[in-house]
Amino acid sequence: MNTYSSKLLEEAVNELSKLPGIGRKSALRLALHLLKRNSMEVEFFGNSIIQMRNNIKHCTKCYNISDTDICEICASKKRNSSIICVVEDIRDVMAIENTSQFTGLYHVLGGIISPMDGIGPQDLHIDPLIERVKNDDTNEVIMALSTTIEGDTTNFYIYKKLKDLNIEITTIARGVSIGDELEYADEITLGRSILNRTPYSTKL
Amino acid sequence: MNTYSSKLLEEAVNELSKLPGIGRKSALRLALHLLKRNSMEVEFFGNSIIQMRNNIKHCTKCYNISDTDICEICASKKRNSSIICVVEDIRDVMAIENTSQFTGLYHVLGGIISPMDGIGPQDLHIDPLIERVKNDDTNEVIMALSTTIEGDTTNFYIYKKLKDLNIEITTIARGVSIGDELEYADEITLGRSILNRTPYSTKL
C-alpha cells in the first residue's frame, strides 16, 4: 500500500501492525509517535516487552502469570485453599481480584473449548485441574467462565470429570446486571434470573 | 487500578499504555497477545522499534524520514527539482506519493503553527525552506497543508517570507470531494468550489 521512505520505519510499522486491533495506519501513527520520544525511553519500551516475554513464568499450580514458580495468590497463607475458581485467562483473575469478594485460589485454563477455533480440551490446563482437585484438599470448584456456548461446553466437560470426586461444583450467578433496567435485559437472562431468585437481603 | 500478578507484565503494560490511543485495558490485551507469540518474534518486534528510533535519519534537504542523509526522493534524478511541495509531516508525503500525481520534491515542516499547542514558526523547518528556495533552482512552491485555521496561518506565514523571491506560490485545490453528494458538502467548501471553478474537461 504505502511507499515508506525508510526501511527501518517500514519494518517497525510491519511489526506494530501485527498487534491485534492495530491496522497499518494506526501502526504508522504509533511508529511516528515513538520516533518523537527520546531514545532511552524507546529502548526501555522495547526492552520491557522483550524482558516480559523472555522472563515471565506461569505458576506451576494455577497457571496464572507470575514472576516466580508459585504465584503470590497460591503462595499466600491468607487464601482459602479449599476453594478453586476456574477461569479462562489471567484477565479474569484480575477482574475477580478487583472485586475483593473472593479469597480462594484460581485455576487458569488458558482458553475455553472452541471447536471453531480448533481449541480442544487437550489444549487447556484441564487435566492439571483434575489432578489438583484429586490431590489437594479441595471442597468447592467455582466455574467462572464466559456465559457463552463455548463457556457452557467447557463447564459441562469439566463438570463430567469432577462430578464423582465428592466436591461441590458451582457456577457464578447469572442474572440481570446491577444498574440495568429490567426492560432492556434479554429474555434468557431475565428468565433465568427469575428461576434462580435469591432471598431478599438488605445487605447488597 | 489492577493488581498485576507479575511486575514484568505490569511494566510492559505501563509502557504499552503510553502509546497514543492505547488505554490500560488495550495495553493488557496487547501484552497478553505478545506473551503468546514466540520469543524470537517478540525480540524482533522490540528490536525493530529500538533500531528504528536509534538509526533513522531525517533527510538534510527536505526533512523527510530516511535511512540515508539525503532521502530517495531528493536524490532521484527523475524528480522535477524546481517544484517543492510543503507538507506538515511524513504521512502527507506518503499520501501524495500514493496518488502518483506529483513528481517534484517535498519539504516536511514537522508540524504547523499552532499557538494553542505552543508550536511557533521557530519550531518548524520553515527557515531551511526559505534557504532552499533562495539557493536552489525553484520555480514553484505548492502549499499542501491541512485546510484548517492552523494550516491557513502557516500558509500565510510562509507566503509572506516567499512572496518577494519571484517564484510561483500555489495551494492545493479546495473543493467538493470526488464521490461526494453536493447537498452534503458544507457551505464554505461549496462556495469556494464555485468561485474556483475550472474549465470543463472530460479527462478526469
Side-chain angles (χ1 to χ4, degrees), chain A residues 7-201:
Chain A
K7 284 257 173 287
L8 291 165
L9 176 66
E10 186 171 6
E11 203 145 272
V13 170
N14 280 345
E15 286 300 311
L16 285 163
S17 64
K18 285 180 191 165
L19 294 173
I22 311 261
R24 293 195 73 82
K25 277 214 168 177
S26 309
L28 178 58
R29 198 166 50 93
L30 297 180
L32 294 178
H33 164 88
L34 286 161
L35 272 178
K36 282 183 187 161
R37 298 246 299 268
N38 82 45
S39 174
M40 252 180 57
E41 278 179 4
V42 174
E43 270 181 42
F44 193 79
F45 171 88
N47 285 328
S48 77
I49 290 167
I50 296 170
Q51 292 282 318
M52 172 187 75
R53 177 60 190 85
N54 287 344
N55 298 329
I56 225 166
K57 291 171 181 165
H58 287 88
C59 171
T60 52
K61 216 170 153 189
C62 75
Y63 295 93
N64 191 6
I65 280 172
S66 171
D67 295 336
T68 45
D69 285 332
I70 298 285
C71 77
E72 279 180 32
I73 294 173
C74 285
S76 168
K77 302 266 184 215
K78 289 180 185 164
R79 315 279 306 202
N80 179 352
S81 63
S82 69
I83 307 181
I84 297 176
C85 180
V86 178
V87 294
E88 188 179 330
D89 72 20
I90 74 136
R91 272 179 290 185
D92 303 322
V93 173
M94 287 181 186
I96 295 174
E97 282 298 288
N98 279 335
T99 69
S100 310
Q101 297 294 320
F102 180 68
T103 55
L105 306 183
Y106 293 92
H107 190 86
V108 180
L109 293 180
I112 44 177
I113 298 171
S114 174
M116 288 284 283
D117 303 314
I119 302 172
Q122 71 287 349
D123 300 315
L124 308 174
H125 306 128
I126 293 179
D127 288 340
L129 169 67
I130 313 300
E131 288 307 307
R132 230 180 122 184
V133 173
K134 273 181 186 161
N135 298 333
D136 291 6
D137 205 16
T138 308
N139 293 327
E140 182 182 354
V141 169
I142 305 175
M143 303 302 302
L145 303 181
S146 301
T147 58
T148 56
I149 293 178
E150 288 81 7
D152 286 342
T153 307
T154 314
N155 277 339
F156 186 64
Y157 182 90
I158 293 174
Y159 170 76
K160 277 198 307 180
K161 295 246 175 187
L162 291 177
K163 72 178 177 355
D164 299 327
L165 293 181
N166 192 31
I167 50 154
E168 206 175 345
I169 305 170
T170 57
T171 67
I172 48 166
R174 298 167 184 199
V176 180
S177 293
I178 291 164
D180 265 13
E181 296 196 43
L182 221 62
E183 58 178 315
Y184 299 121
D186 69 284
E187 287 165 24
I188 298 172
T189 302
L190 192 54
R192 236 185 221 244
S193 75
I194 289 170
L195 285 176
N196 297 334
R197 60 194 177 277
T198 52
Y200 181 72
S201 156

Side-chain angles (χ1 to χ4, degrees), chain A residues 1-2 4-7 12 15 20 28 33 35 37 39 43-44 48 52-54 65 67 94 98, chain B residues 1-2 4-7 12 15 20 33 35 37 39 43-44 48 52-54 65 67 91 94 98:
Chain A
M1 170 206 166
N2 273 319
Y4 294 94
S5 56
S6 152
K7 284 257 173 287
E15 286 300 311
L28 178 58
H33 164 88
L35 272 178
R37 298 246 299 268
S39 174
E43 270 181 42
F44 193 79
S48 77
M52 172 187 75
R53 177 60 190 85
N54 287 344
I65 280 172
D67 295 336
M94 287 181 186
N98 279 335
Chain B
M1 169 207 165
N2 272 317
Y4 293 94
S5 56
S6 152
K7 283 256 174 287
E15 286 300 312
H33 164 87
L35 272 179
R37 297 246 299 268
S39 173
E43 270 180 43
F44 193 81
S48 75
M52 172 188 74
R53 177 60 189 83
N54 287 345
I65 280 172
D67 295 336
R91 274 179 290 185
M94 286 182 188
N98 280 335

Side-chain angles (χ1 to χ4, degrees), chain B residues 2-17:
Chain B
N2 272 317
T3 41
Y4 293 94
S5 56
S6 152
K7 283 256 174 287
L8 291 164
L9 176 66
E10 187 172 4
E11 203 146 272
V13 170
N14 280 346
E15 286 300 312
L16 284 164
S17 65

